[in-house]
Amino acid sequence: MRVLIAEDHPLFRSGVRNLLQTTDDLDVVGEASSGEEALELADQLRPDLILMDIRMPGMNGIEATRHIKEKHPAIEILILTMFRDDQSVFTAMRVGAKGYVLKDADEDELLQSIRMVGSGGAVFSSDIAGRMMHYFSQPKAVPADDPAFAELTKREMEILERIAEGDTNAQIAARLHISNKTVANYVSNILNKLQVTDRNAAKRLLQKSRED
C-alpha cells in the first residue's frame, strides 16, 4: 500500500515514516507539511492512502481532504487528530475521510487503522459514530435546500446571523445573555461545520446563500 503522510510537525512525521518503514506492506511514497503540499503530491504520486493531519498551516486537512476526494475519489484518507471529540473530525468524515486515528495511538493501532482504511474499510469511534447517527436522524434547523448550513443548530444559525450583521463576540454574548467563552465556542463550531477559516468567510457564505 502506497502511503502519503501529510503532517506539519517534522518529529511526528518522521516517527510515522520510521514506523511504516518497518513493515513489508506499507510504503511511504511522499511527505507533505501542509494541505497545499498534500494536494500537489496527491496529483503527482496518486497514493493509495493519505494519513492526513487535520490541523495544518494554510489549507487545513479538511479542505485538503475535500479537494483530493473530488479529484481522486479512489485515494483513501485517514485523519490524524490530537482530540477524540474534535468537531472537525466529523466534518472531515462528511467530505470523504474514512476514519480517524489519535496522534497518541499506539503503533499497532495506527498500523491497523491504516490497513483497514487502505483496504476500503472505515475506522470510527463510538462518539463519531453517534454524531453521524444524530446528524442523519434529526430534523434540520434550516431549510433542506440550504445544504451548506444543514448541520448548524438553531442557536448556531442565530449566532451566524449576528456575525453577518457585524456583531462582535461581546455584542452577541450581551444580546443572547451568554458568556463570551460560550460564544467563542459556538463560533468555532460554526466555522468547522461550514468548513471556512474565519467569520468573514462564514458571513460571505451566508450572504451568497441569500443571493441565490
Side-chain angles (χ1 to χ4, degrees):
M1 186 189 306
R2 303 173 71 252
V3 179
L4 170 64
I5 303 171
E7 160 64 50
D8 65 320
H9 291 93
L11 286 176
F12 187 85
R13 191 170 65 242
S14 174
V16 173
R17 179 184 65 243
N18 292 339
L19 173 63
L20 268 57
Q21 287 176 342
T22 66
T23 70
D24 296 327
D25 60 327
L26 302 175
D27 181 22
V28 178
V29 296
E31 299 177 32
S33 59
S34 69
E36 290 86 353
E37 286 185 12
L39 196 55
E40 291 175 7
L41 291 178
D43 288 338
Q44 296 171 15
L45 303 174
R46 304 293 177 89
D48 299 308
L49 178 140
I50 300 176
L51 195 58
M52 182 80 75
D53 185 8
I54 207 165
R55 300 186 184 280
M56 292 182 288
M59 182 187 294
N60 62 32
I62 294 173
E63 275 300 292
T65 296
R66 183 173 65 82
H67 287 301
I68 290 169
K69 291 301 290 186
E70 286 175 354
K71 295 183 68 175
H72 310 292
I75 296 178
E76 303 292 3
I77 296 182
L78 177 62
I79 293 293
L80 277 169
T81 180
M82 287 290 293
F83 307 106
R84 185 177 299 277
D85 60 349
D86 191 333
Q87 174 64 44
S88 303
V89 172
F90 180 60
T91 308
M93 301 299 106
R94 290 176 49 230
V95 297
K98 285 290 187 67
Y100 80 93
V101 62
L102 296 175
K103 287 190 175 183
D104 62 357
D106 62 38
E107 293 181 352
D108 288 341
E109 182 181 354
L110 176 58
L111 293 175
Q112 182 180 18
S113 298
I114 291 172
R115 290 173 175 131
M116 186 175 298
V117 171
S119 61
V123 177
F124 297 107
S125 70
S126 59
D127 55 322
I128 292 295
R131 234 181 263 169
M132 294 180 74
M133 291 290 290
H134 178 78
Y135 173 74
F136 288 113
S137 66
Q138 295 298 312
K140 304 306 177 191
V142 295
D145 59 355
D146 256 339
F149 304 98
E151 196 186 332
L152 297 187
T153 65
K154 183 177 179 180
R155 175 65 94 179
E156 287 167 348
M157 272 305 296
E158 186 177 9
I159 290 174
L160 179 58
E161 295 280 357
R162 300 318 314 163
I163 291 173
E165 292 298 321
D167 287 3
T168 64
N169 281 10
Q171 290 171 325
I172 295 172
R175 179 183 292 269
L176 300 181
H177 306 290
I178 55 180
S179 71
N180 286 350
K181 182 177 180 181
T182 299
V183 174
N185 288 337
Y186 274 122
V187 172
S188 178
N189 284 341
I190 290 166
L191 299 185
N192 280 328
K193 289 180 179 181
L194 296 182
Q195 301 168 37
V196 295
T197 55
D198 58 46
R199 58 201 296 140
N200 288 329
K203 177 180 178 179
R204 290 194 297 270
L205 192 63
L206 181 60
Q207 290 172 336
K208 183 177 184 302
S209 174
R210 288 170 173 169
E211 291 169 0
D212 295 341

